[in-house]
Amino acid sequence: MYFQFVLPTTSKLAFSSFLTSSSHPSLPLTASTRHQLCRDILKQHKRLSPSAKSNNLTSVSSLLSDYLPFLFALEAGLTGHAVNGEEVDVILNSEIETEWRTTLAGKVPGTDGPRARGRGLDFEICFVLNTLAYVHSLLARVQIHSLYASIMPSADQRLGSVNQAKNHLLQANSIHTYLMTRFGDSDSSAMAIETQPSVQGGLAALALAEATLLAVLSDDPYPTVVTQERNKNDKEWMIKAPEIPKVRAHLFARLCLAAAEHSEKAEAMLSSLGGGRSGRIDQDLIKYTNDLKKLAKAKACRFFGIDAELGGETGKAIAWLQGARRVLGFSPASEEGSLRKGFAKFRKDFAEKKEDKRIEKGADWGSDAGRLEEARVIDMLEKKWTRMNDTMNTQLIPPFEPLLNSMPSGRDVHQTRAFNLPVLDADILERMRAPPEKDDVRISADEESSDDEPGTEGRNPPGTFPSLSTSSTHNSDYF
């Protein structure tokens, strides 16, 4: 269901205070202006409602993408590389210093994440790229949320949404992989949590796992049937029963197992982060990767069951579904007593209704990575196949433990795309040769830079003692 990342915010940054360019004098000032635009929209995005945030993601993505070519042009000038075949001379007068909010570090509920202060252009490039990867993941989340609209999308609309979400996740995977490679040789003990190679590698594996599951979702009819059954506005059942075409069950099972392997890799890399300056990673993200691993394995069990049912082995198919329930963390119905079964059903129904409300409101949904949604599909198939087996086939149901132990390895469907570094257009680079004018946009020293409303500078974080102040506050530049 795609993790709900929180976009970070940043402090003001004037590149002209740290850099000068004899060949392109306007380049540092223009880069500062682009940084200010990104800073403003990230601050505005933080205050929006959940529905407004979804509509604002495209604007955030556009401004971040426009800012990146200027950062890489400055980097090329510092390292002596050409930009679009043109030499750019950039001189470093003093080390660049900037600050970003870390949103992956564990924090006290109700407070903002800690601020990470970094030196060098690498730090700024890393956080801008990392934020852009978050935006791509959130855009994929928006596309998948459209599948649960009150008006059921058509088959073509559903396929289009799934493909767009898949492309966003693959782009996020390429960015995280590039950052992991770029900072692979750095000392991780002194790095911010977002710049750690293990964190970027875990996020890359997580995005690849979600993209792999989307390759299955595009041809999986069962989640659509379950969604259609609980949609109060759907009246198609009055005309005809939902059509369930045959699926390439064994292939889909192998793809789901590959997604489970990527999720397990993501969980291991994210959990390996120790203490130190960066601190601990958000446990909600660790839990999400674990839930996604369970979801992928349960989907694989379901597809193995579908493959067995298509081959006439109904008893074995039911055993696969029982194994899928166990993988998801739910006990098979045959192992529960009457009292425990009723209480477990009550808790499960309550959790499903709560998740339905979250999906309807469009906020905080999918935190379980879709485990409840998959449990509904398994329940539907188990009831259907059990009824068939009790009335017609009467096959013995084997134990599911040997089946789980005999699952094959996964099969990848996607490969990591190489991230193409954005290059500044030749005409824009040509305009940077002109000296900056006095009327150009510049960063004001007394500009309001608070994330909160004016007048909240001295306010304590919720849940803290009145005398407690934020540990990282060293001046009035809040963000």
Side-chain angles (χ1 to χ4, degrees), residues 68 72 124-133 175 178-179 419:
L68 281 171
F72 283 106
E124 178 75 5
I125 291 175
C126 175
F127 266 91
V128 174
L129 280 174
N130 190 62
T131 305
L132 182 60
I175 294 175
Y178 168 76
L179 291 176
F419 177 69

Side-chain angles (χ1 to χ4, degrees), residues 197-244:
S198 62
V199 173
Q200 292 298 328
L203 294 175
L206 178 62
L208 187 58
E210 292 173 332
T212 304
L213 287 178
L214 277 182
V216 176
L217 181 63
S218 59
D219 292 325
D220 186 6
Y222 296 97
T224 305
V225 173
V226 172
T227 304
Q228 188 175 355
E229 284 182 352
R230 73 172 190 269
N231 191 339
K232 299 178 181 178
N233 298 322
D234 182 70
K235 306 299 181 183
E236 189 177 349
W237 59 271
M238 296 181 178
I239 305 172
K240 63 176 181 177
E243 297 179 359
I244 303 180

Side-chain angles (χ1 to χ4, degrees), residues 56-344:
N56 192 51
L57 287 172
T58 305
S59 300
V60 177
S61 175
S62 177
L63 287 178
L64 290 173
S65 299
D66 291 342
Y67 177 37
L68 281 171
F70 291 92
L71 289 177
F72 283 106
L74 290 174
E75 184 184 43
L78 290 172
T79 56
H81 293 85
V83 179
N84 253 335
E86 186 174 345
E87 294 294 332
V88 178
D89 181 26
V90 178
I91 300 175
L92 181 66
N93 299 323
S94 59
E95 193 67 41
I96 299 174
E97 294 186 0
T98 183
E99 291 183 351
W100 284 78
R101 289 278 183 193
T102 61
T103 58
L104 288 184
K107 58 182 181 298
V108 178
T111 63
D112 292 328
R115 287 189 288 179
R117 187 181 185 90
R119 298 169 64 88
L121 194 59
D122 276 349
F123 187 83
E124 178 75 5
I125 291 175
C126 175
F127 266 91
V128 174
L129 280 174
N130 190 62
T131 305
L132 182 60
Y134 289 169
V135 172
H136 280 294
S137 297
L138 292 174
L139 285 171
R141 179 183 170 89
V142 171
Q143 292 295 329
I144 297 303
H145 185 256
S146 65
L147 303 180
Y148 300 94
S150 57
I151 300 177
M152 292 292 296
S154 64
D156 292 339
Q157 291 174 337
R158 176 182 174 84
L159 182 60
S161 297
V162 171
N163 287 336
Q164 289 183 38
K166 182 169 55 179
N167 290 332
H168 282 302
L169 289 172
L170 291 176
Q171 183 66 19
N173 169 258
S174 67
I175 294 175
H176 289 307
T177 303
Y178 168 76
L179 291 176
M180 178 186 65
T181 306
R182 182 179 178 120
F183 293 93
D185 298 331
S186 304
D187 181 16
S188 60
S189 61
M191 298 170 65
I193 193 169
E194 278 82 357
T195 60
Q196 299 241 6
S198 62
V199 173
Q200 292 298 328
L203 294 175
L206 178 62
L208 187 58
E210 292 173 332
T212 304
L213 287 178
L214 277 182
V216 176
L217 181 63
S218 59
D219 292 325
D220 186 6
Y222 296 97
T224 305
V225 173
V226 172
T227 304
Q228 188 175 355
E229 284 182 352
R230 73 172 190 269
N231 191 339
K232 299 178 181 178
N233 298 322
D234 182 70
K235 306 299 181 183
E236 189 177 349
W237 59 271
M238 296 181 178
I239 305 172
K240 63 176 181 177
E243 297 179 359
I244 303 180
K246 292 184 178 181
V247 297
R248 296 166 290 175
H250 198 272
L251 172 62
F252 289 169
R254 296 283 301 277
L255 297 181
C256 291
L257 288 174
E261 293 170 2
H262 293 309
S263 302
E264 189 173 8
K265 177 183 176 182
E267 183 183 11
M269 297 186 75
L270 294 173
S271 302
S272 65
L273 185 65
R277 176 183 172 184
S278 58
R280 297 281 180 178
I281 200 164
D282 188 3
Q283 292 303 306
D284 290 339
L285 180 58
I286 303 294
K287 180 180 179 299
Y288 177 84
T289 56
N290 183 265
D291 288 341
L292 188 67
K293 177 183 65 177
K294 294 178 180 178
L295 170 71
K297 287 185 177 180
K299 280 182 177 290
C301 292
R302 171 164 66 87
F303 283 116
F304 280 130
I306 294 173
D307 186 58
E309 196 274 334
L310 291 174
E313 300 177 289
T314 310
K316 186 178 180 180
I318 296 174
W320 274 116
L321 294 183
Q322 292 176 351
R325 287 174 60 89
R326 173 60 61 85
V327 170
L328 286 175
F330 304 112
S331 300
S334 58
E335 297 183 3
E336 297 178 343
S338 59
L339 181 61
R340 184 180 175 186
K341 181 178 179 181
F343 181 67

Side-chain angles (χ1 to χ4, degrees), residues 202 211 217 291 389 425 438 448:
L217 181 63
D291 288 341
N389 193 52
D425 291 340
K438 295 183 179 180
E448 176 65 33

Side-chain angles (χ1 to χ4, degrees), residues 24 83-84 86 423-432:
H24 299 76
V83 179
N84 253 335
E86 186 174 345
V423 180
L424 200 61
D425 291 340
D427 55 342
I428 298 178
L429 191 62
E430 183 67 24
R431 291 200 297 268
M432 295 298 102

